Amino acid sequence: MLSRRTFLKLSGMSLAAYTLWRWDGWRAVQPPPLPAGRTVGAVPLYNRPNGKITGYHFPDRVVTLGKARGEWIAVEDGYVAKTAVQPMPTWKQESALPARFPARMEIVAPIAVIRAEANALSAVVARVAHASQMQAVDHLPGTHGGWIALADNKGALLGWSQAVAWRVADNISP
């Protein structure tokens, strides 16, 4: 026969063991995130390499990349040509603004839209692809990092883009 104290000890240990068994935080090393890619146009989706077209992916869609087979790469719902996907790291929606402007910025989102004004409803001036770099000349604070003003190669204002899609460039290139 168990005493009340022994019963409570065993119950507490059992509950703790069950909780720790289900808790994933004890692992020191987490598996790396699955690689992702951005489709670079209207991309046909195949059921197997050189197989039948089963659908299309729209431009700038982020897909999870699987194993490569020759000139083909597996995505979550079939195969696409390797040349139709731009590999990219997993994107966290965090803007990292520089301490001062002007500064060289890099796109970390699949794309960034440059608009005529710092307003989501203003006219689209350009769409710029992942990993492109541009010169940021000003910042307008707001939600999700606000807006950054981008200049062309000659320093003239090109337009505004939401800062959440950008971060300070690691490698400065002209």
Side-chain angles (χ1 to χ4, degrees):
M1 176 105 179
L2 294 176
S3 68
R4 180 175 180 204
R5 181 178 175 154
T6 307
F7 173 76
L8 289 174
K9 281 183 189 178
L10 289 173
S11 298
M13 287 189 297
S14 298
L15 180 62
Y18 176 74
T19 304
L20 289 175
W21 174 72
R22 298 193 68 202
W23 182 54
D24 230 9
W26 62 270
R27 295 183 188 174
V29 178
Q30 294 293 329
L34 293 173
R38 178 188 72 90
T39 57
V40 294
V43 177
L45 181 65
Y46 295 84
N47 62 345
R48 63 180 191 278
N50 291 324
K52 179 181 169 187
I53 295 177
T54 58
Y56 289 87
H57 283 304
F58 290 111
D60 304 318
R61 178 179 173 179
V62 177
V63 293
T64 302
L65 302 179
K67 290 185 177 183
R69 293 178 61 187
E71 295 299 314
W72 300 89
I73 192 158
V75 295
E76 59 264 10
D77 47 0
Y79 288 87
V80 296
K82 280 185 183 177
T83 57
V85 180
Q86 175 190 15
M88 58 181 276
T90 305
W91 176 47
K92 294 180 183 175
Q93 290 192 6
E94 302 170 354
S95 63
L97 296 174
R100 60 181 182 206
F101 290 91
R104 197 82 179 155
M105 303 289 284
E106 177 181 29
I107 300 174
V108 292
I111 63 156
V113 177
I114 300 173
R115 298 186 176 273
E117 299 172 5
N119 180 342
L121 300 176
S122 68
V124 174
V125 175
R127 289 170 32 105
V128 189
H130 172 77
S132 298
Q133 293 185 4
M134 293 188 78
Q135 188 78 11
V137 293
D138 200 3
H139 174 248
L140 182 64
T143 58
H144 302 293
W147 294 80
I148 56 172
L150 300 164
D152 62 12
N153 292 340
K154 297 177 183 176
L157 180 66
L158 180 63
W160 293 81
S161 183
Q162 292 182 329
V164 71
W166 299 81
R167 71 174 171 89
V168 178
D170 291 334
N171 53 351
I172 307 299
S173 63

